[in-house]
Amino acid sequence: MVDAQVKDMMMAKMYALFLLLCLSERSVSLDNGLARTPPMGWLSWERYRCNIDCIKDPDNCISEKLYLDMADLLVKEGYKDVGYEYVNIDDCWASKERGPDGSLVPDPDRFPHGIKYLADIIHSKGLKLGIYGDFGTKTCGGYPGSKFYLQLDAQTFADWGVDMLKLDGCYTNTEDMAYGYPAMEFFLNKTGRPILYSCSWPAYISGTTDPDYAQIAKYCNIWRNYADIQDSWDSVKNIIEWFSQDKGGFTKIAGPGNFNDPDMLIVGDYSLSYDQQKAQMAIWSIMASPLFMSNNLRTISDNPKALLQNKAVIAINQDPLGIQGSKIDQIGKYIDVWTRPISPKGKSIAFVFLNLGTAGGPYEVTYKLSKLGAISPAGYNVTEVFNGNFIGMFKSQDYLNVTVDPSGVFFGVATFLG
Ligand SMILES: *[C@@H]1O[C@H](CO)[C@@H](O)[C@H](O)[C@H]1NC(C)=O
Ligand SMILES: *[C@@H]1O[C@H](CO)[C@@H](O)[C@H](O)[C@H]1NC(C)=O
Ligand SMILES: *[C@@H]1O[C@H](CO)[C@@H](O)[C@H](O)[C@H]1NC(C)=O
């Protein structure tokens, strides 16, 4: 065996032992005070990928300029006021080699002042900084991974003033994740700095077997369940359909401190129609999903900007009960019915009729209120969420009649009267 493999095995054994000693006692979900509601912010990956050519593309390459510009815009354009808080670096920020002491080093040309400098400016604007790492030996983009450097990297991130870590799972076998992700949580905790921990762990397993989500929630604030989002309605639809199946029972695991993450919002990007953008906002809101935009806030147009800043949509996403909604029914071939219990507990209900059909006109939905779970005899006021239009007062036996555009939604809230 070569040296590296021996080291590998020793480290693996050490982690396994360490896990047994320190971690097996834990019976409840991670509570580090963070993510009491789904975190909100901006994340570079979907839109900016691993664009590192700052000579050719200075505005869009992964560099301190990109994150500082977005931080500026989050504040100036009103996103911060409605709750978007994290500015998150994704892959390709690091140098290809670790420094002489083994620690991660940001690319010196693209982050000439270092990450601490970036964190300080971002904090001075009342925002938070997120960073990206990978549990394996390399990141997905081929930059240094954290395997065998977990403690050092956790400390480096804390020293830099980082507030959130997305830990990806390329370049490792999946079996190691069951102790590696918990080990990183242990080391993050030991730094004493509250760092919101986003794990890609289940996303690397869910293709073959159902992850143990209760176990994952013991160590992660949020976790990516499934494939990366791409800039297309097909991708959004595929993610929604996958989440609607609730394989492995992840929906019930969500709650204050721990949320499933279906990946970034692509509202304001290239591909989605206005209706499709509303659909993504509505379903991400019903699912209590983290809301991380990945778009160009410099050039975004008014309609997507208004959708992203819609306070009623955000309020449902951020409902303090933190209950994740789910698909409860299907009408005909194409209309999915989703509901989410919101505050006050056991009383009001947010709901979505999602039209996955493509027939060229709005679909008429007639649906009895009680089937949404709205069963109080006192009745409900129903309001459309995006525009606040009052639809009417309803008893639980009444039918709600609405139309739903192709690849669009009707997003409503039934407010308990009583
Ligand atoms: C570390 O873990 C303890 C116990 O779960 C928790 O109370 C504390 O807030 C955590 N600290 C940090 C910095 O995450
Ligand atoms: C319900 O709607 C009616 C009619 O618009 C209104 O008078 C009433 O105040 C509303 N009640 C609640 C609790 O919103
Ligand atoms: C909704 O449609 C049903 C069936 O067509 C009808 O019986 C009901 O009166 C309608 N409800 C409202 C509030 O218009």
Side-chain angles (χ1 to χ4, degrees):
M1 268 192 292
V2 297
D3 273 3
Q5 282 172 317
V6 174
K7 189 176 157 207
D8 251 47
M9 282 183 52
M10 278 171 54
M11 290 305 281
K13 280 186 189 148
M14 204 187 84
Y15 279 139
L17 186 67
F18 154 83
L19 184 75
L20 223 71
L21 292 176
C22 313
L23 304 166
S24 58
E25 298 299 301
R26 184 177 290 180
S27 58
V28 293
S29 300
L30 173 63
D31 180 6
N32 53 7
L34 303 171
R36 303 307 295 169
T37 60
M40 298 172 63
W42 184 94
L43 174 61
S44 55
W45 183 256
E46 198 293 315
R47 176 73 180 238
Y48 297 92
R49 306 285 165 153
C50 194
N51 176 355
I52 56 170
D53 192 346
C54 292
I55 309 283
K56 212 173 91 195
D57 199 4
D59 284 341
N60 302 307
C61 64
I62 300 303
S63 69
E64 66 182 27
K65 180 182 192 318
L66 179 66
Y67 300 99
L68 289 175
D69 282 2
M70 293 305 151
D72 258 348
L73 290 161
L74 286 175
V75 175
K76 286 199 190 111
E77 299 294 322
Y79 297 93
K80 175 174 175 278
D81 289 339
V82 296
Y84 295 92
E85 179 182 25
Y86 290 89
V87 180
N88 285 16
I89 301 172
D90 208 279
D91 202 353
C92 308
W93 60 269
S95 294
K96 282 274 166 97
E97 302 298 333
R98 287 176 176 268
D101 63 348
S103 54
L104 290 167
V105 183
D107 181 279
D109 297 324
R110 293 180 287 116
F111 295 87
H113 305 91
I115 304 296
K116 173 101 176 50
Y117 163 90
L118 197 53
D120 288 346
I121 297 182
I122 282 171
H123 292 156
S124 75
K125 296 177 190 294
L127 298 168
K128 293 179 170 165
L129 177 70
I131 206 160
Y132 168 100
D134 188 289
F135 168 60
T137 51
K138 281 190 252 177
T139 72
C140 301
Y143 293 81
S146 293
K147 207 170 192 180
F148 314 122
Y149 294 91
L150 294 176
Q151 182 165 21
L152 178 61
D153 291 352
Q155 194 57 54
T156 301
F157 296 146
D159 292 345
W160 285 343
V162 162
D163 305 292
M164 173 168 175
L165 171 66
K166 170 179 169 182
L167 194 64
D168 213 335
C170 280
Y171 293 102
T172 178
N173 52 335
T174 51
E175 302 86 74
D176 288 355
M177 293 181 177
Y179 57 84
Y181 276 93
M184 190 53 154
E185 189 277 325
F186 178 83
F187 292 131
L188 288 172
N189 183 278
K190 269 186 65 172
T191 68
R193 185 175 177 84
I195 296 178
L196 197 156
Y197 186 31
S198 165
C199 301
S200 301
W201 177 7
Y204 284 87
I205 304 172
S206 63
T208 24
T209 161
D210 290 343
D212 181 349
Y213 288 102
Q215 184 69 9
I216 289 163
K218 289 179 191 173
Y219 305 103
C220 306
N221 287 117
I222 65 174
W223 50 86
R224 284 282 312 285
N225 306 54
Y226 184 58
D228 282 5
I229 200 163
Q230 312 293 338
D231 195 349
S232 79
W233 173 241
D234 271 353
S235 169
V236 173
K237 200 167 72 166
N238 178 253
I239 289 171
I240 292 173
E241 285 173 336
W242 188 86
F243 273 78
S244 76
Q245 291 161 15
D246 195 24
K247 269 180 92 263
F250 52 78
T251 299
K252 64 174 190 296
I253 305 297
N258 312 95
F259 293 98
N260 294 287
D261 182 3
D263 212 4
M264 291 159 273
L265 293 169
I266 57 162
V267 173
D269 285 313
Y270 297 102
S271 71
L272 300 187
S273 72
Y274 185 55
D275 273 299
Q276 290 163 349
Q277 295 181 65
K278 287 172 78 177
Q280 194 189 20
M281 290 303 291
I283 297 293
W284 264 236
S285 171
I286 280 278
M287 291 202 299
S289 306
L291 299 179
F292 284 93
M293 309 178 278
S294 191
N295 51 16
N296 188 349
L297 298 177
R298 303 176 184 113
T299 57
I300 191 168
S301 52
D302 291 345
N303 281 340
K305 181 178 169 189
L307 288 180
L308 289 162
Q309 296 193 6
N310 187 302
K311 287 186 179 155
V313 175
I314 292 170
I316 291 170
N317 173 269
Q318 296 286 301
D319 185 83
L321 296 176
I323 301 170
Q324 180 170 341
S326 56
K327 179 182 164 185
I328 57 151
D329 197 6
Q330 189 174 325
I331 307 167
K333 222 172 161 178
Y334 298 118
I335 306 289
D336 284 355
V337 183
W338 288 70
T339 58
R340 173 177 180 186
I342 54 169
S343 307
K345 194 171 187 178
K347 309 258 162 88
S348 296
I349 291 164
F351 62 95
V352 171
F353 298 123
L354 166 69
N355 186 352
L356 293 172
T358 49
Y363 189 98
E364 286 181 25
V365 170
T366 294
Y367 206 71
K368 200 188 253 184
L369 220 63
S370 60
K371 287 182 76 181
L372 294 170
I375 52 172
S376 158
Y380 297 82
N381 274 1
V382 174
T383 308
E384 201 280 337
V385 176
F386 284 105
N387 55 30
N389 283 351
F390 181 64
I391 308 294
M393 288 177 76
F394 292 78
K395 295 286 185 198
S396 62
Q397 296 308 306
D398 291 342
Y399 283 87
L400 180 66
N401 302 325
V402 297
T403 58
V404 194
D405 295 347
S407 65
V409 285
F410 179 88
F411 190 8
V413 60
T415 309
F416 173 73
L417 300 176

